Amino acid sequence: QVQLVESGGDLVQPGGSLRLSCAASGFTFSSAYMSWYRQAPGKQREFVARITTGDTTYYSEVVKGRFTISRDNAKNTVYLQMNSLKPEDTAVYHCNVHIGVIDYWGQGTQVTVSS
């Protein structure tokens, strides 16, 4: 079965950096587009970044230039490098893969940006 396990979330000060990881299993990772989404308290889940099988990347406007998505097909892992973090980046970050007609989600990892 498809499994996505996120890690790397933490409490960080404004301006700091974090790297999130998502370990995937149960599908052919190298053939899948991988995405990161986030959900802040009281808000809807929102798109953050996506990486294609050819390593083309897409970002939401609010994170473009600060966040970088990457993948390691040998490790079946997708990463999200987050720099210049702001308090408004505080959220639970979820890994996502869309296979067929189904969206699969990890349990999420908490990122809190606060002084």
Side-chain angles (χ1 to χ4, degrees):
Q1 68 279 22
V2 173
Q3 280 195 313
L4 301 170
V5 180
E6 302 95 334
S7 61
D10 205 345
L11 170 63
V12 62
Q13 291 189 342
S17 298
L18 278 177
R19 189 176 83 153
L20 307 183
S21 301
C22 171
S25 61
F27 63 99
T28 306
F29 181 80
S30 59
S31 299
Y33 288 20
M34 299 299 299
S35 302
W36 286 97
Y37 287 73
R38 68 186 183 186
Q39 187 165 19
K43 294 188 176 182
Q44 287 192 330
R45 191 171 294 184
E46 65 173 355
F47 169 78
V48 175
R50 178 171 294 126
I51 186 165
T52 71
T53 54
D55 288 342
T56 299
T57 56
Y58 302 90
Y59 299 95
S60 71
E61 286 299 317
V62 295
V63 307
K64 192 177 293 184
R66 299 188 296 124
F67 291 10
T68 302
I69 189 171
S70 62
R71 65 192 300 158
D72 185 336
N73 289 338
K75 295 182 178 180
N76 284 4
T77 300
V78 60
Y79 304 98
L80 187 67
Q81 177 67 43
M82 306 186 296
N83 299 328
S84 303
L85 283 162
K86 305 175 181 180
E88 50 264 42
D89 294 318
T90 295
V92 177
Y93 284 70
H94 296 272
C95 185
N96 166 270
V97 63
H98 185 84
I99 301 173
V101 297
I102 300 175
D103 270 313
Y104 294 91
W105 300 91
Q107 83 290 346
T109 186
Q110 176 70 48
V111 172
T112 302
V113 184
S114 175
S115 54

